Amino acid sequence: ALPFAMLAAYGIDSLLTWFRKDTSKPSWLVLGLAAGLGLLILFDTAGGSKQLQQAHSESIFEQLAAEDGEFAILSLPIDEIQSKRQMFDQTVHGRPLLHGHISRPPTAVYQFIDDNPWLRVLRQIDEMPPWLVGVSEQLAILNNEGIRYIIMYKEQVSPQRLAHWQRYLSLIPIFEDDRIAVYRTNPVAGTDFLVQKELSPGVGPVAELVSGDCFQPNAPFEVDVLWGTRDSLEGQYHVRLVLLSKDGEERQSEIFPLDADGGEVSWPANTLIWGYYPIHLIEGLRPGSYTLTVALVQDAGGDLEERSLVLGDLTISGIPCSLNLAVEESEANVSFDDKMRLLGYRVERPSSDQLDVRLHWRGEKRMEHDYKVFIHIFDLETGIPVAQDDSMPLRGGLPTRFWALGEEITDNISIDLSSTPPGRYGLAIGVYDSVTGERLSVLMADGQRPNDGRLVTEDVIIVDEY
């Protein structure tokens, strides 16, 4: 408005100068011009103020406004543009936000966020880092800084990302609707999270993940358990995972320290901490249905406590398990170093100079590195790539360190063939460490292991000369 006001003032000044220079102009013209300008001003202001958008009136915002004490709120996602919506809701609850939109932010405006590893990853990737296993520890850091609540704006992120956040926290929201979910940063057992069953007094699983429900003998799988405490826990505890046959006989047992560092546990009440337990199925397991249970023992050689929790049923199959692929997908069922499995893929040619490849992955275990996937279009005679794609899954949108156990990820990749000479070419897929460049080993469904770390498909890509 201000620039237009200045332009209008210059225009009026120019008209008045014109009248002053030419005194022959009739007075009615001057009066008419003045009246016209006055009417324009009246027309511009007559409408009064108009409410363009109404603030949401969720009752939780009014409760936050009325709550005693001074505190701040962490709104997710941490995004400068989307925070405008979050700041609009702030006009109702009136509480300080950890971040927001500033047209010209100072250099150190994100210093607090970037100095906190948990918040820094959230800002950069929009994900909660699973390698920071102490959920309550990360929340306590926020709470100690006066950040009392987390508000997730569900409409601002994908359902997959929202599921990752909610799975990592595994908290009961104090408020949730279709638009937001609100969580406390000082969670209390029985109110903000529920222990499914106490395996030792005051401690038990809150949530768990298993990398699948169908395996073959001599195959790896992983179990993740979020432990929660109602009371403080002290001592040397171990986690015992047991595979039982349908007649209740123990077929395989694995022992892990409850503390990730292998030392004594010293957990206060209301602790939430993830434990990750990789297992390799023994070779002699007979095909059939099994039950997976978890229990706690006081020491690695002690007796199993009577209290155990059934985590689920597993199928040990003598043949490759069903992959439930889409009709248009070609089956692959290829493992890359027991970390990620290519379930299937699809190849399409939307045009003569473009190749679209859809990769259907499943996370087999927690990964400590962000791996890259390459697709080679290679000469059938020399094996030399003539076109390729090389990137992290979803173009870096979901690095492999953030994949959940058993989660299936679909990645759509387009490869430019416009510079590829006419000919017949093969297609190969591989995975490598983005830091070292080392390729992950490939295990085919039939047990073969290609020595070049590539899955070479049966597809033939034909590039014609035009």
Side-chain angles (χ1 to χ4, degrees):
L2 287 176
F4 280 104
M6 294 301 298
L7 289 173
Y10 276 116
I12 293 172
D13 181 66
S14 178
L15 286 172
L16 292 175
T17 301
W18 178 53
F19 277 110
R20 282 195 295 268
K21 287 182 179 180
D22 189 354
T23 57
S24 63
K25 296 288 187 302
S27 58
W28 63 264
L29 186 59
V30 177
L31 292 173
L33 178 63
L37 289 172
L39 288 173
L40 286 173
I41 293 173
L42 288 174
F43 177 78
D44 184 54
T45 59
S49 62
K50 292 182 174 62
Q51 183 172 288
L52 301 180
Q53 189 174 2
Q54 184 175 357
H56 286 274
S57 57
E58 279 98 340
S59 60
I60 186 63
F61 292 149
E62 297 173 359
Q63 294 175 30
L64 295 178
E67 190 168 323
D68 293 336
E70 297 291 332
F71 60 88
I73 292 171
L74 167 61
S75 297
L76 298 178
I78 302 177
D79 181 274
E80 292 183 27
I81 301 302
Q82 302 207 74
S83 62
K84 293 179 180 180
R85 171 74 263 176
Q86 303 161 10
M87 294 170 70
F88 193 47
D89 292 338
Q90 187 187 31
T91 64
V92 180
H93 63 67
R95 297 296 180 174
L97 300 177
L98 182 59
H99 68 95
H101 178 80
I102 307 174
S103 297
R104 294 175 177 84
T107 304
V109 71
Y110 284 102
Q111 190 68 44
F112 175 79
I113 292 176
D114 291 339
D115 285 346
N116 181 304
W118 193 76
L119 292 174
R120 183 172 63 246
V121 173
L122 263 171
R123 182 192 173 203
Q124 294 172 346
I125 309 293
D126 263 356
E127 287 284 357
M128 296 183 182
W131 56 89
L132 296 178
V133 295
V135 176
S136 55
E137 178 184 2
Q138 303 306 320
L139 295 178
I141 294 173
L142 300 181
N143 192 260
N144 292 337
E145 294 290 344
I147 302 168
R148 193 177 293 179
Y149 295 100
I150 296 173
I151 300 180
M152 295 182 186
Y153 281 77
K154 300 158 69 172
E155 59 190 5
Q156 295 183 349
V157 294
S158 67
Q160 181 186 49
R161 186 138 292 166
L162 180 66
H164 283 198
W165 292 351
Q166 294 178 327
R167 184 187 300 119
Y168 174 85
L169 295 177
S170 291
L171 296 176
I172 302 170
I174 65 167
F175 176 88
E176 185 173 15
D177 61 11
D178 292 339
R179 196 173 73 92
I180 62 171
V182 184
Y183 302 88
R184 299 200 305 168
T185 58
N186 59 336
V188 176
T191 301
D192 300 288
F193 65 91
L194 299 177
V195 174
Q196 298 177 32
K197 183 178 182 179
E198 292 190 8
L199 303 185
S200 188
V203 61
V206 174
E208 63 278 333
L209 287 173
V210 182
S211 58
D213 57 8
C214 180
F215 303 91
Q216 291 180 275
N218 197 30
F221 79 104
E222 185 171 314
V223 180
D224 293 354
V225 178
L226 177 62
W227 297 98
T229 63
R230 178 177 52 81
D231 304 312
S232 60
L233 187 70
E234 302 281 345
Q236 190 83 30
Y237 284 84
H238 285 75
V239 179
R240 189 167 188 253
L241 292 166
V242 180
L243 203 61
L244 301 173
S245 63
K246 278 304 179 183
D247 56 9
E249 293 188 15
E250 182 178 312
R251 297 302 185 188
Q252 184 172 347
S253 174
E254 302 287 343
I255 293 285
F256 302 89
L258 180 58
D259 181 80
D261 296 326
E264 288 195 0
V265 172
S266 181
W267 293 351
N270 303 314
T271 290
L272 284 168
I273 187 168
W274 281 100
Y276 303 145
Y277 312 111
I279 301 173
H280 201 99
L281 296 172
I282 58 177
E283 190 170 0
L285 282 175
R286 293 181 178 179
S289 297
Y290 292 81
T291 299
L292 179 66
T293 67
V294 62
L296 289 178
V297 291
Q298 285 289 158
D299 57 78
D303 295 331
L304 177 66
E305 294 188 6
E306 293 183 1
R307 287 174 288 187
S308 63
L309 178 67
V310 174
L311 297 181
D313 294 329
L314 302 180
T315 297
I316 306 300
S317 177
I319 59 176
C321 300
S322 174
L323 302 178
N324 298 318
L325 299 176
V327 175
E328 67 275 10
E329 291 180 338
S330 300
E331 182 174 320
N333 197 16
V334 175
S335 172
F336 289 84
D337 203 21
D338 296 333
K339 294 179 172 64
M340 48 197 292
R341 182 176 297 274
L342 182 64
L343 302 178
Y345 68 96
R346 183 181 67 186
V347 178
E348 290 184 324
R349 291 288 294 276
S351 65
S352 59
D353 57 2
Q354 181 179 329
L355 181 74
D356 288 350
V357 182
R358 175 181 178 179
L359 302 178
H360 185 176
W361 298 99
R362 183 175 68 204
E364 300 282 86
K365 66 180 298 185
R366 290 288 176 185
M367 289 175 264
E368 298 179 354
H369 303 284
D370 291 330
Y371 295 105
K372 283 190 172 183
V373 176
F374 67 82
I375 299 177
H376 287 170
I377 309 301
F378 63 91
D379 187 285
L380 290 173
E381 294 183 1
T382 65
I384 298 175
V386 296
Q388 68 180 60
D389 183 85
D390 192 327
S391 64
M392 289 187 184
L394 304 182
R395 288 299 185 265
L398 188 60
T400 53
R401 282 189 299 168
F402 298 93
W403 289 16
L405 291 187
E407 182 176 24
E408 296 186 12
I409 292 96
T410 299
D411 197 5
N412 296 300
I413 300 165
S414 293
I415 301 175
D416 182 15
L417 300 178
S418 59
S419 301
T420 304
R424 295 166 59 87
Y425 301 98
L427 187 146
I429 303 166
V431 182
Y432 70 96
D433 189 316
S434 59
V435 177
T436 65
E438 182 179 355
R439 293 181 181 178
L440 300 190
S441 62
V442 176
L443 176 61
M444 307 288 287
D446 58 6
Q448 297 184 31
R449 291 185 178 273
N451 55 17
D452 62 352
R454 299 192 310 172
L455 162 65
V456 177
T457 74
E458 297 179 354
D459 300 89
V460 176
I461 312 301
I462 300 175
V463 178
D464 297 323
E465 185 172 5
Y466 292 92

